Amino acid sequence: MDVRNRDTVVILGTGGTIAGRAASPGDDLAYSAAQIGIGDLLGSVPGLSQSLEGHAIESEQIAQIDSKDMDLDTMARLARAIASHVQRPGVRGVVVTHGTDTLEETAYFLGAVLSGERLAGKPVVLTCAMRPANALMADGPQNLLDAIALVLDRRASGVLAVCAGAVHAGDAVRKTHPWRLDAFGSGDAGPLAWVEGGRVRWVSFRPQTDMDKRSLAIEKIAESPRWPRVELLTSHAGASGALVDTLVAANPDQADPVRGLVVAGTGNGTLHRDLEAALLRAQAAGIHVWRSTRCSLGQVIPVADQRLPDAAGLPPVQARIALILELLCQADHPPGSPTGSAR
C-alpha cells in the first residue's frame, strides 16, 4: 500500500518472527521466520484502521530475513530508508517490524546514525513478536498496534522499541528471555512508557544518548561501506588468550583484518589474567579493545588506571556496534577509550 497523504505512518518490514509461519498454529517454537510480506502482514491486523485515527499508512519491504541473520549492510539500508522517509513533511513517524534476536543491535545502530536533526523530531519505533503470525494467540498484531499508538503520541521521539506493551529506549533495550512474550527489558533504566488500551502512559523521560560524533556515520553509509571488523569475546573460567593471539597474528595476511575486540568480562568487566594479557598485546598492536560485562543488569564502572577501556555502559552486542561505528567515523583515532559520543 502506498497512500502519500499528510500525517502518514510509514511501516518498514524486515522479516522476523512477526512475519513468520509455523506448520501448526499450536507450535510457537518450531516455525520459519520472515515468510509474510509487510503488506499482507498489515492486512491481517484487526483494528488497524481504527488505531490510525484517520492517518494514512504506507509500507515498504526493506528486507525479509530471520533477524539472527541480520547484518550491517541491511541495518544501513534500513537507516537510509528511515532517513529518507522522516524528511518528508507529511510523515508522522516510522514503525519497523523486526525479529527479536538482534533487535537491540539494530535499535542501537539506528539511534547512533540517525540521532538529532536527522530524525526531524519524529519517532522511529521498532516492534516484533515472539510468536509467528499464524499462532493461535499471535502477539504480533497487538505489538504493531502499540507501535502505531506510540508513533502517534506527540511526546514520542528518537528511536524506541515496544514489545508486550512496554516501551524501551533504543539504546537501552535488551532481549532478556528466549521465548516469553515479555522478552525485553531496559536493564537498570526501566521502561520509558507503557501502551495501555491504545494510549501511551509515560513513566520516565531521559535524554537520548549524545551520539553527535557517531551520527556522522550516516554519510559514511550512504553507499555500502567496508565495515571495520570487530569481534566479540567472552571471559570465563579457564579462558586463554589463544584466540586473541591467533587473530592478531593472522591480521597481516587478512583482506579483512580485525580492527577491534569487545570482550564480555565477568563482574565489573574483569578478565581472566591470560585473556587480559593477550588483549593488552592486541591493544599494543593497534587493535581497539573495549571491556563490557556478562552481567545482564548494571554496567562496568570505570576504575583508576584501567589498562583496557570500558565500553561506556553498553552491553557486549551493542558495544560491538558502537565500536564498528567509532572506527568507521574515526579512522585515524588511536586505540583507547570510547570517545565522548559513546558516553
Side-chain angles (χ1 to χ4, degrees), residues 92-115:
R92 184 71 170 268
V94 177
V95 171
V96 177
T97 60
H98 198 287
T100 62
D101 284 347
T102 55
L103 182 146
E104 63 199 81
E105 292 164 77
T106 299
Y108 184 87
F109 180 95
L110 294 177
V113 303
L114 295 173
S115 60

Side-chain angles (χ1 to χ4, degrees), residues 14-79:
T14 68
T17 298
I18 194 170
R21 284 190 182 279
S24 167
D27 193 344
D28 295 337
L29 298 178
Y31 58 85
S32 296
Q35 300 298 302
I36 303 171
I38 189 62
D40 291 338
L41 184 65
L42 293 174
S44 68
V45 177
L48 180 64
S49 296
Q50 296 93 316
S51 72
L52 288 166
E53 300 177 350
H55 296 86
I57 190 171
E58 175 184 328
S59 64
E60 180 182 351
Q61 193 80 50
I62 301 298
Q64 187 68 308
I65 59 174
D66 186 325
S67 81
K68 68 179 176 59
D69 299 320
M70 179 59 69
D71 55 49
L72 289 161
D73 286 340
T74 304
M75 290 184 193
R77 189 162 66 250
L78 176 61

